[in-house]
Amino acid sequence: MLRLLFPPLKAVLGSPGVRLLTTRGAPRCGCHYGQKLGVWQRQHSTLSEVALQSGTGAVSVPRKAAQRIMGRWLLVCSGTVAGAVILGGVTRLTESGLSMVDWHLIKEMKPPTSQEQWEAEFQKYQQFPEFKILNHNMTLAEFKFIWYMEYSHRMWGRIVGLAYILPTVYFWRKGWLTHGMKGRALALCGLVCFQGLLGWYMVKSGLEEKPDSYDIPRVSQYRLAAHLGSALVLYCASLWTALSLLLPQDKLPETRQLLQLRRFAHGTAGLVFLTALSGAFVAGLDAGLVYNSFPKMGERWIPEDLFTFSPVLRNVFENPTMVQFDHRILGVTTVTAITGLYFLSRRVPLPRRAKMAVATLLTVAYAQVGLGISTLLLYVPTPLAAVHQSGSLALLSVALWLMNELRRIPK
């Protein structure tokens, strides 16, 4: 890590500032040493000609070193996003997401500290539908648990924002960001801010009074899917950029079989993403509790209540039976596609890392299916359901890794 933070000696000696001290005297010497010094400078100036310098004239950092630093930064950022997704899933599973009934960027960072403050917070919660319909017997101690769950999720979201924004400002001031990376970093920071606003927009849907409805108060499954989807986009963009900066790319022969494998890998990654996104509708409608059997749904392969809503399209997003059915179909289709991808990859000569990515993808896919079936049969216990949700991120990560290994090298 010290070698990444402090530039190598050769790069420092090859920087323009040092060349001013050495190159003027070299031609006058006429000796063999002066000639060798000129050759040495020409060889190593390539390390610094694209160096990313700060505006203050400080010692430059070679591009490769800067790329490694930024790659590791984005890898950490993607890890924080994954933590937010997992923590958000646990918050949803413990029905804690509606415990904080207002949103303040700075004010809410300090939790209640006295008995009076906790009682005031509890009284605010009691004015909303979740307490009136579902939790009217809740004690203050029980409220503190769900409040701290939601508080942890919100504070973690702020950590994610700082993890993106502060290093971006630092790297920008140092001049380490290329033109392309500047646009990408700004897009990532903007997506982080949008994600926070979308989270509150989602929570507001669960706080609204619905006089004509007797359903359990919950957030809109549409807003939940949008919140999860934007988090997955942020995660994928960060992880892809980090892998592209950190992993050396292998030169693969552009054969027709490789092209087919690359397209198949892209389609499979899209299926993984879509299956994970459909899980938001399962969670939002508690659809995991309607049919707790596998492979059949109850006594039938296709349940009778798939199309109870009108118009028909509403069933896809609002009928818990259809939502669970869709999630099952997507899961089975995804693991089938990954199995086909594995066997197709065996016909293509691949580097060792790419082979590892394919084998890992197959292993994680079957583990994820096993977790999903177990979660369903056991009536969605919170720990197992949280692991299943985490498994979707792991599967998506490996799919991105494989895509990165198979990407085309630009000419």
Side-chain angles (χ1 to χ4, degrees), residues 23 30 47 154 202 215 231 244 282 301 311 326:
T23 55
L47 290 173
R154 294 191 184 190
M202 176 192 70
D215 290 340
S244 300
V282 175
W301 289 101
D326 291 344

Side-chain angles (χ1 to χ4, degrees), residues 66-223:
Q67 285 182 344
R68 286 197 301 271
I69 294 173
M70 289 186 289
R72 291 171 183 175
W73 159 56
L74 288 174
L75 196 61
V76 171
C77 286
S78 62
T80 62
V81 175
V85 172
I86 294 169
L87 186 56
V90 176
T91 302
R92 176 70 189 89
L93 288 166
T94 55
E95 298 181 344
S96 306
L98 300 177
S99 56
M100 296 180 70
V101 296
D102 46 20
W103 188 86
H104 302 284
L105 182 61
I106 304 298
K107 182 181 176 181
E108 72 180 23
M109 294 179 66
K110 182 181 179 182
T113 55
S114 65
Q115 183 70 15
E116 292 76 14
Q117 290 176 343
W118 274 113
E119 289 178 354
E121 194 72 24
F122 192 25
Q123 287 175 3
K124 286 194 296 184
Y125 174 70
Q126 291 172 359
Q127 300 172 15
F128 289 87
E130 186 175 68
F131 177 83
K132 296 176 182 178
I133 298 174
L134 184 64
N135 293 333
H136 51 273
N137 294 323
M138 175 175 282
T139 65
L140 181 59
E142 293 169 335
F143 170 72
K144 287 182 179 181
F145 171 78
I146 64 171
W147 192 93
Y148 270 121
M149 286 297 303
E150 173 65 9
Y151 174 79
S152 300
H153 184 51
R154 294 191 184 190
M155 291 303 103
W156 189 264
R158 286 163 171 78
I159 293 173
V160 174
L162 293 176
Y164 277 92
I165 295 172
L166 292 182
T168 296
V169 173
Y170 176 80
F171 294 145
W172 196 299
R173 288 178 59 85
K174 286 292 184 181
W176 290 7
L177 298 175
T178 63
H179 179 72
M181 275 300 297
K182 285 181 179 179
R184 190 168 300 187
L186 285 177
L188 292 175
C189 292
L191 191 54
V192 169
C193 298
F194 173 74
Q195 175 72 359
L197 295 174
L198 191 57
W200 173 240
Y201 179 66
M202 176 192 70
V203 169
K204 282 185 65 177
S205 66
L207 300 175
E208 297 170 354
E209 296 278 357
K210 300 174 183 178
D212 299 331
S213 176
Y214 296 95
D215 290 340
I216 295 174
R218 57 169 64 97
V219 299
S220 164
Q221 69 272 24
Y222 296 103
R223 299 186 191 184

Side-chain angles (χ1 to χ4, degrees), residues 17-65:
V18 177
R19 286 202 298 269
L20 291 175
L21 300 177
T22 57
T23 55
R24 293 179 180 177
R28 297 179 184 177
C29 177
C31 62
H32 181 64
Y33 172 76
Q35 295 175 354
K36 290 184 66 177
L37 180 59
V39 172
W40 184 90
Q41 288 173 339
R42 286 194 298 274
Q43 290 175 344
H44 292 278
S45 64
T46 56
L47 290 173
S48 297
E49 64 181 342
V50 292
L52 307 173
Q53 299 183 2
S54 67
T56 59
V59 175
S60 61
V61 176
R63 178 180 292 275
K64 289 185 178 180

